[in-house]
Amino acid sequence: MPTKKMPTKKMPSIGWIGTGRMGYEMAAHLARGGADVLAWNRTRAKAQPLEKHGAKVADRVSELAARDIVFCMVSTWDDVRQVMDALLEGASEVPRIVVECSSISLEGSQQLRAMLAARSIQYLAAPVSGNAKVIKAGRLSFVCSGPKQAFDAVLPYLKMIGPAAAYVGEGELARIVKICHNVFLGVVTQSLAEVTVLAQKAGVPRHAFLDFINQSVMGSTFSRYKTPAFVNLDFKVTFTPALLRKDMDLGLDAGRRFEVPMPLASATRDLIQSMMGRGWSEQDFATLLLQQAQASGIELKPENVDVSDGLA
Ligand SMILES: NC(=O)c1ccc[n+]([C@@H]2O[C@H](COP(=O)([O-])OP(=O)(O)OC[C@H]3O[C@@H](n4cnc5c(N)ncnc54)[C@H](OP(=O)(O)O)[C@@H]3O)[C@@H](O)[C@H]2O)c1
């Protein structure tokens, strides 16, 4: 999918913090589109290849403080706080807008808003749906909250990264939307693992079962792009079990705060924990399938069938 070109009217300078699996691909879209991107990553080597797309790479995060718009894509709220402290500590110039895309809690996001407001920085909460492959395919979606003016100002840059950016209102509303999204992701993945193993144990090959599901009313972009992993057992990481567990915990915390029972999320969270305890923690979270097979007394083998991920 070609990267969208930079809007021509204004050319704010962009700072990009965090070039892990997600951040790298997002920043690459901006740089390839012609935006003026200065990127920083704790492990510099992971940011370096952005130079071939036209981005510059900083040695210290504080070098990004003078940029107009700073994006952040790290892991947890503690990590966000650390990089934001380091960005702003002693800075004489600060960004006009910070766009924070990591999946973090409502409370962390509120603290960040207060911290940035104290420096008169506008803050857009902008978590995302989709993995690195989805970004490459040009299909990432953002859910955003904060000042509408900040959303309007960064929208052209969000659109360079992915086609969809929903504005859901003021404050931290985007955070709860993203948390709900990822709780659903965990529960759906566990459910898909259960029915896939059930069908297989009853004699249906996984590729045949998933081919039907993908074409049925229950099929989705997600069931399609997880199909190659489920069929051929390629569990190269797209999203780690630890990050999914973090999001299930954020969902359960929110459930307690708003007094909403979440029985399926609760069971799924513990299944993810069990999977990690059994040693499936370094591969993709779709190894929930392997745990389900083990619990069902069968050993899965790759089917070596060429199946589509639906993203092309
Ligand atoms: N992967 C997905 O499918 C997906 C989808 C939607 C949302 N998300 C969310 O997006 C965020 C990033 O996920 P990811 O999959 O890209 O994770 P990742 O590949 O593990 O990348 C994490 C990034 O954060 C940096 N980082 C972590 N802690 C840091 C700290 N204390 N100080 C400075 N930098 C730090 C890492 O730097 P180093 O390179 O130095 O380790 C790396 O650049 C997470 O909040 C995740 O929940 C992920």
Side-chain angles (χ1 to χ4, degrees), residues 96-111:
R96 191 161 55 86
I97 304 175
V98 163
V99 183
E100 209 305 303
C101 302
S102 322
S103 304
I104 61 170
S105 62
L106 290 156
E107 293 78 5
S109 196
Q110 269 159 0
Q111 284 183 45

Side-chain angles (χ1 to χ4, degrees), residues 71-180:
F71 285 80
C72 177
M73 186 55 151
V74 290
S75 299
T76 64
W77 159 235
D78 282 343
D79 304 317
V80 172
R81 183 172 39 206
Q82 276 177 30
V83 295
M84 285 294 154
D85 279 342
L87 175 78
L88 299 176
E89 198 182 8
S92 51
E93 280 185 274
V94 295
R96 191 161 55 86
I97 304 175
V98 163
V99 183
E100 209 305 303
C101 302
S102 322
S103 304
I104 61 170
S105 62
L106 290 156
E107 293 78 5
S109 196
Q110 269 159 0
Q111 284 183 45
L112 179 59
R113 193 171 297 285
M115 181 176 155
L116 295 174
R119 304 291 300 262
S120 304
I121 302 168
Q122 293 185 64
Y123 163 48
L124 195 68
V128 301
S129 167
N131 62 25
K133 226 174 156 184
V134 171
I135 305 171
K136 273 192 188 154
R139 291 178 59 179
L140 190 74
S141 46
F142 291 89
V143 56
C144 305
S145 63
K148 180 68 168 47
Q149 206 190 359
F151 174 72
D152 291 339
V154 303
L155 185 59
Y157 300 92
L158 302 181
K159 287 279 171 107
M160 288 170 73
I161 300 170
Y167 177 74
V168 293
E170 293 289 332
E172 317 322 318
L173 290 177
R175 299 298 181 184
I176 194 69
V177 176
K178 172 61 188 173
I179 289 168
C180 292

Side-chain angles (χ1 to χ4, degrees), residues 77-310:
W77 159 235
D78 282 343
D79 304 317
V80 172
R81 183 172 39 206
Q82 276 177 30
V83 295
M84 285 294 154
D85 279 342
L87 175 78
L88 299 176
E89 198 182 8
S92 51
E93 280 185 274
V94 295
R96 191 161 55 86
I97 304 175
V98 163
V99 183
E100 209 305 303
C101 302
S102 322
S103 304
I104 61 170
S105 62
L106 290 156
E107 293 78 5
S109 196
Q110 269 159 0
Q111 284 183 45
L112 179 59
R113 193 171 297 285
M115 181 176 155
L116 295 174
R119 304 291 300 262
S120 304
I121 302 168
Q122 293 185 64
Y123 163 48
L124 195 68
V128 301
S129 167
N131 62 25
K133 226 174 156 184
V134 171
I135 305 171
K136 273 192 188 154
R139 291 178 59 179
L140 190 74
S141 46
F142 291 89
V143 56
C144 305
S145 63
K148 180 68 168 47
Q149 206 190 359
F151 174 72
D152 291 339
V154 303
L155 185 59
Y157 300 92
L158 302 181
K159 287 279 171 107
M160 288 170 73
I161 300 170
Y167 177 74
V168 293
E170 293 289 332
E172 317 322 318
L173 290 177
R175 299 298 181 184
I176 194 69
V177 176
K178 172 61 188 173
I179 289 168
C180 292
H181 172 284
N182 270 29
V183 166
F184 192 41
L185 169 74
V187 170
V188 165
T189 307
Q190 172 59 26
S191 181
L192 195 61
E194 289 175 21
V195 291
T196 302
V197 167
L198 175 60
Q200 162 136 34
K201 204 169 175 189
V204 186
R206 297 190 299 282
H207 70 271
F209 175 69
L210 289 166
D211 181 45
F212 168 69
I213 290 291
N214 288 338
Q215 294 185 67
S216 77
V217 293
M218 297 309 295
S220 66
T221 300
F222 177 72
S223 70
R224 283 184 280 278
Y225 80 58
K226 273 296 169 214
T227 291
F230 270 37
V231 170
N232 295 323
L233 310 186
D234 173 4
F235 295 113
K236 183 171 179 290
V237 175
T238 64
F239 187 44
T240 60
L243 286 178
L244 180 59
R245 181 187 56 184
K246 164 199 62 133
D247 292 342
M248 300 305 290
D249 284 336
L250 291 176
L252 293 171
D253 284 349
R256 278 188 281 276
R257 175 171 163 187
F258 292 101
E259 299 203 23
V260 173
M262 302 187 74
L264 296 181
S266 200
T268 304
R269 188 267 175 213
D270 280 350
L271 286 161
I272 296 163
Q273 183 65 66
S274 303
M275 170 177 75
M276 293 172 69
R278 291 192 171 109
W280 285 302
S281 53
E282 301 306 318
Q283 293 172 287
D284 193 65
F285 71 101
T287 48
L288 279 168
L289 179 76
L290 299 182
Q291 170 168 258
Q292 182 63 30
Q294 194 181 68
S296 310
I298 58 172
E299 193 187 334
L300 302 185
K301 299 262 185 308
E303 290 183 341
N304 299 321
V305 175
D306 191 14
V307 285
S308 165
D309 63 9

